[in-house]
């Protein structure tokens, strides 16, 4: 177990390092560099000045050298300044992280609270009208374009009914600003949870120990909630673990449409606004959160299912 | 597994998709037949209500909405299908190599797959989509060419979309590799390429088709998201995604502009998902139990 944990942590760190190099290289391929931006801001600068500035800032050095310099600073906790916010990158992130965590946690809890019971209900009576209705709703949930769902919610509740704000400062502006983003994310999340729960429960209900429990004369309710549920929740835990990463990486589209000040929108703004330092760190944070979610999912599975032994040679 | 009703839903999905595909294919003919023009800007006729001239009204530049929806559908469906097929192709090749070769090749390819799956898809796609093709060394004359735009999105999506098929194909290839007819073929001296092409591939093709069908919906969603954010298909070429870019600011003036393209994306994606699910039930060996 500790060996598994250590090897997975090292693996995740390697992926993170590879991603940081790839993203660093990609950012260099985006239109415009910091000196281009300075040139655009000051027409008196000549191209000789630009070349001098590039040399001064080390921007003419080979990619690998620049990357190693960045990495050296990053390891010491220096991630540079954010161009958009005119503050150190590390000072910009905590607010966005807190906003995103609140938004995503609320949406995740709600969609689990609604989705899992619906999935169980559907699985208990396969092929009934109830099952088909729930299943179709779940399909609708996973098929709806997230930005369009957000637009429709704005259209109904902000434009037609005028009862909720169309977007704004998040929780600092009052809970009303949270309602529509949370609703959009919850509606989009329910579908997946219903489908996983339903599939997993149906799988378990086919197994022999369930047949034995039924033969013993237990009520269907006791069979499902007393015997099957624990086992059926196993694969679902994995999914929730994977979604744990989104608590910190945020929901890029929903946050952008609702102008919600979270990590997703921060990444979008940073990439679009040529804020390279911020974009790089925010992306790495999102990647680290996703990798951590994957690791947690595996650990949860390991902890819950005694049949699995993960070791160095598990595969 | 869900039997009759599921097949009915899959059939409905198939019918909807056929209708949408026909409308997209025949878009130029429909435009001519109805006398529509989705490209001419008519600023005196912005946000027009539906009328005989403009069955669904006009957009913020006075262009006919129906004509733009038809042409946008052409683009969105073509990109969705092409990207899903490209991803399936990459996934099949990687899965076959991993499953048939085994050993360290398999381990390396599967670690790569795990790594790609563990990445935050959308933020990275946005960075990739923002990359300047000229700095990448592509000819500057290509910039803005519609077919380059389409190809760019197909490549971007395929780059991340191959993992599901790769895992599926690898698992099937591992199982098939040890079956008697494959061992027999190998013993008869069938070469590796023939072995894969004649004996292994045909036996896992149906699963690949199902997985691809299920992924087309997701790919269309991804394209629409990128285009909505201004990083996908570039105007004036319409796609259902980029038709929604301006719709957000205009939602107060003309809700129809937001409702139609998004509604069509929704319809297309749900149809692909239901169809794929129905096909999957057909393939599930346990389906014969009920």
């Amino acid at each position: 177990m500790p060996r598994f944990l250590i090897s997975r942590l090292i693996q995740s760190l390697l992926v993170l390092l590879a991603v940081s190099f790839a993203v660093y290289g990609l950012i260099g391929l985006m239109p415009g560099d910091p000196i281009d931006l300075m040139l655009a801001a000051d027409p008196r600068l000549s191209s000789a000045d630009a070349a001098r500035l590039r040399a001064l800032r080390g921007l003419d050095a080979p990619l690998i050298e620049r990357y190693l310099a960045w990495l050296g600073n990053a390891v010491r906790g220096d991630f540079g300044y954010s161009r958009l916010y005119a503050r150190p990158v590390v000072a910009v992130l905590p607010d966005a992280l807190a906003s995103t965590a609140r938004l995503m946690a609320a949406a995740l809890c709600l969609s689990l609270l609604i989705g899992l019971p619906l999935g169980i209900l559907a699985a208990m009576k396969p092929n009934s009208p109830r099952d088909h209705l729930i299943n179709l709703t779940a399909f609708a949930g996973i098929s709806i374009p997230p930005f369009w769902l957000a637009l429709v919610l704005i259209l109904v509740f902000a434009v037609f009914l005028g009862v909720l704000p169309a977007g704004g400062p998040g929780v600092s502006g009052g809970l009303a600003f949270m309602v529509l983003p949370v609703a959009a994310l919850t509606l989009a999340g329910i579908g997946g949870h219903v489908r996983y729960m339903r599939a997993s429960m149906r799988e378990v209900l086919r197994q022999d120990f369930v047949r034995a429990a039924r033969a013993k004369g237990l009520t269907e309710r006791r069979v499902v909630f007393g015997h099957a549920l624990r086992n059926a929740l196993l694969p679902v835990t994995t999914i929730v673990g994977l979604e744990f990463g989104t608590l910190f990486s945020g929901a890029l589209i929903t946050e952008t449409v609702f102008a919600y000040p979270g990590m997703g929108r921060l990444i979008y703004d940073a990439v679009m606004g040529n804020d390279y330092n911020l974009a790089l760190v925010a992306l790495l944070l999102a990647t680290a959160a996703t990798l951590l979610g994957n690791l947690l999912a595996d650990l949860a599975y390991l902890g819950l299912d005694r049949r699995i032994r993960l070791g160095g040679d598990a595969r | 597994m869900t039997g009759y009703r599921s097949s009915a839903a899959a059939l409905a999905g198939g019918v909807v998709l056929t209708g949408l595909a026909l409308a997209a294919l025949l878009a130029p003919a429909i435009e001519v037949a109805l006398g529509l023009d989705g490209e001419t800007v008519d600023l005196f006729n912005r946000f027009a209500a539906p009328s005989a001239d403009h069955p669904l009204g006009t957009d913020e530049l006075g262009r006919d909405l129906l004509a733009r929806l038809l042409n946008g559908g052409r683009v969105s469906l073509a990109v969705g299908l092409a990207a899903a097929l490209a991803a399936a192709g990459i996934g099949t090749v990687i899965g076959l190599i991993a499953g048939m070769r085994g050993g360290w090749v398999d381990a390396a390819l599967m670690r790569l797959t795990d790594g790609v799956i563990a990445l935050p898809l959308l933020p990275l796609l946005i960075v990739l989509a923002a990359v300047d093709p000229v700095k990448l060394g592509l000819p500057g004359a290509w910039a803005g060419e519609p077919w380059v735009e389409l190809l760019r999105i197909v490549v971007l999506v395929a780059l991340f979309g191959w993992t599901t098929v790769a895992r599926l194909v690898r698992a099937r290839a591992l199982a098939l590799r040890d079956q008697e007819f494959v061992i027999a073929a190998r013993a008869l001296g069938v070469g590796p390429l023939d072995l894969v092409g004649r004996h292994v591939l045909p036996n896992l093709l149906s699963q690949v088709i199902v997985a691809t069908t299920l992924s087309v919906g997701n790919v269309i969603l991804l394209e629409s998201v990128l285009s909505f954010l201004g990083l996908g298909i570039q105007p004036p070429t319409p796609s259902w995604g980029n038709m929604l870019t301006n719709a957000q600011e205009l939602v107060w003036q003309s809700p129809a502009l937001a409702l139609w393209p998004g509604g069509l994306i929704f319809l297309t994606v749900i149809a692909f998902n239901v169809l794929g699910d129905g096909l999957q039930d057909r393939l599930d060996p346990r389906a014969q139990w009920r």
Side-chain angles (χ1 to χ4, degrees):
Chain A
M1 170 80 181
R3 241 190 87 190
F4 161 75
L5 191 63
I6 291 167
S7 83
R8 281 296 305 270
L9 274 175
I10 293 174
Q11 225 175 63
S12 301
L13 272 179
L14 286 178
V15 172
L16 199 60
L17 210 61
V19 170
S20 76
F21 180 67
V23 174
Y24 192 92
L26 285 173
I27 281 177
L29 291 171
M30 293 201 295
D33 67 11
I35 308 299
D36 287 340
L37 294 169
M38 287 166 89
L39 285 178
D42 190 345
R44 286 168 305 172
L45 285 173
S46 68
S47 54
D49 292 332
R52 205 166 45 78
L53 277 169
R54 280 209 173 87
L56 189 68
R57 300 282 179 192
L59 282 171
D60 55 352
L63 175 66
I64 187 80
E65 248 172 66
R66 280 182 287 143
Y67 170 71
L68 287 177
W70 174 84
L71 193 64
N73 288 332
V75 168
R76 272 175 271 133
D78 175 12
F79 294 99
Y81 266 80
S82 153
R83 207 178 78 82
L84 285 179
Y85 294 83
R87 282 158 68 200
V89 165
V90 275
V92 177
L93 292 172
D95 283 348
L97 273 175
S99 291
T100 275
R102 259 190 297 251
L103 173 71
M104 301 308 287
L108 182 59
C109 290
L110 276 175
S111 79
L112 283 173
L113 280 176
I114 301 170
L116 298 190
L118 279 178
I120 297 171
L121 277 177
M124 280 171 73
K125 276 207 178 147
N127 294 320
S128 63
R130 179 174 86 190
D131 181 28
H132 289 299
L133 184 69
I134 294 176
N135 205 15
L136 196 66
T137 319
F139 265 124
I142 56 172
S143 305
I144 200 160
F147 53 97
W148 188 64
L149 177 62
L151 277 178
V152 170
L153 286 176
I154 289 178
L155 199 60
V156 173
F157 292 98
V159 180
F160 290 153
L161 299 178
V163 288
L164 286 167
V171 79
S172 61
L175 272 181
F177 288 103
M178 296 281 290
V179 177
L180 286 185
V182 169
L185 287 170
T186 305
L187 286 174
I190 288 175
H193 291 147
V194 169
R195 286 190 50 76
Y196 282 119
M197 189 70 238
R198 174 174 173 273
S200 166
M201 182 58 95
R202 289 194 60 171
E203 188 75 41
V204 170
L205 286 179
R206 263 197 289 262
Q207 287 176 18
D208 286 341
F209 76 90
V210 170
R211 198 171 303 164
R214 281 196 185 126
K216 216 162 67 173
L218 293 184
T219 60
E220 190 63 17
R221 182 172 303 212
R222 291 278 309 270
V223 172
V224 169
F225 292 98
H227 292 252
L229 185 60
R230 260 186 66 116
N231 296 283
L233 277 176
L234 265 178
V236 178
T237 332
T238 319
I239 305 302
V240 177
L242 291 177
E243 286 174 46
F244 182 81
T246 64
L247 289 185
F248 305 101
S249 61
L252 198 143
I253 304 155
T254 308
E255 289 178 8
T256 308
V257 176
F258 288 111
Y260 186 89
M263 282 298 284
R265 191 174 139 228
L266 189 81
I267 292 174
Y268 178 71
D269 285 349
V271 171
M272 300 313 267
N274 294 324
D275 192 343
Y276 306 115
N277 288 337
L278 185 60
L280 187 52
V281 176
L283 270 165
L284 287 182
L285 212 60
T287 311
T290 316
L291 291 171
L292 192 67
N294 285 316
L295 188 56
L296 279 177
D298 282 357
L299 283 182
Y301 208 79
L302 187 69
L304 289 170
D305 194 339
R306 297 298 153 89
R307 286 170 301 187
I308 302 173
R309 284 276 165 269
L310 287 174
D313 55 346
R315 281 170 210 262
Chain B
M1 188 164 21
T2 18
Y4 171 72
R5 292 277 180 105
S6 166
S7 323
L11 190 66
V15 169
V16 167
L17 288 177
T18 313
L20 285 168
L22 275 179
L25 276 176
L26 299 176
I30 299 174
E31 273 183 278
V32 173
L34 296 177
L36 307 173
D37 181 357
E39 287 177 10
T40 311
V41 172
D42 179 3
L43 293 178
F44 293 108
N45 209 3
R46 305 167 69 208
F47 305 116
S51 64
D53 285 348
H54 303 290
L56 295 177
T58 60
D59 69 359
E60 72 273 18
L61 295 176
R63 294 171 295 192
D64 184 77
L65 184 58
L66 179 60
R68 278 179 63 73
L69 282 174
L70 286 168
N71 285 315
R74 252 171 117 83
V75 173
S76 291
L77 288 174
V79 168
L81 282 174
L85 285 177
I90 300 174
T92 307
V93 171
I94 290 185
L96 277 176
I97 294 175
M100 298 302 288
R101 290 299 291 272
W104 68 269
V105 179
D106 180 28
L109 285 176
M110 284 304 107
R111 283 298 85 71
L112 177 71
T113 313
D114 291 346
V116 171
I117 289 176
L119 297 175
L121 175 64
L122 200 52
L124 285 178
L125 264 183
I126 281 176
V127 174
L128 274 171
V131 164
D132 183 357
V134 179
K135 282 199 180 178
L136 210 57
L138 297 176
W142 285 9
E145 287 269 341
W147 68 269
V148 178
E149 290 292 329
L150 299 190
L151 197 64
R152 195 176 64 101
I153 299 298
V154 170
V155 170
L156 279 183
V157 174
L159 219 51
F160 287 94
W162 52 270
T163 49
T164 319
V165 172
R167 282 188 162 178
L168 192 95
V169 168
R170 170 187 176 263
R172 284 290 296 161
L174 275 180
L176 286 168
R177 195 174 60 168
D178 296 331
Q179 289 205 358
E180 275 154 9
F181 72 94
V182 176
I183 297 172
R186 190 177 281 145
L188 284 171
V190 176
L193 277 181
D194 259 4
L195 193 70
V196 168
R198 289 246 183 103
H199 300 279
V200 176
L201 197 57
N203 280 300
L204 47 78
L205 209 55
S206 49
Q207 269 104 342
V208 173
I209 292 172
V210 170
T212 310
T213 311
L214 280 169
S215 77
V216 179
N218 277 329
V219 170
I220 290 179
L221 270 185
L222 262 185
E223 181 274 316
S224 70
V225 164
L226 285 178
S227 297
F228 171 72
L229 293 173
L231 293 162
I233 312 289
Q234 298 300 318
T237 307
S239 86
W240 287 339
N242 75 20
M243 287 175 71
L244 283 161
T245 311
N246 294 326
Q248 188 178 2
E249 288 111 69
L250 301 169
V251 82
W252 308 85
Q253 296 176 46
S254 181
L257 292 184
L259 290 178
W260 278 106
L264 284 172
I265 299 171
F266 184 27
L267 187 68
T268 311
V269 176
I270 202 171
F272 269 112
N273 280 337
V274 170
L275 179 67
D277 191 58
L279 290 177
Q280 195 161 42
D281 281 354
R282 275 289 170 85
L283 279 184
D284 191 340
R286 285 180 305 236
Q288 281 139 23
W289 288 13
R290 288 179 190 261

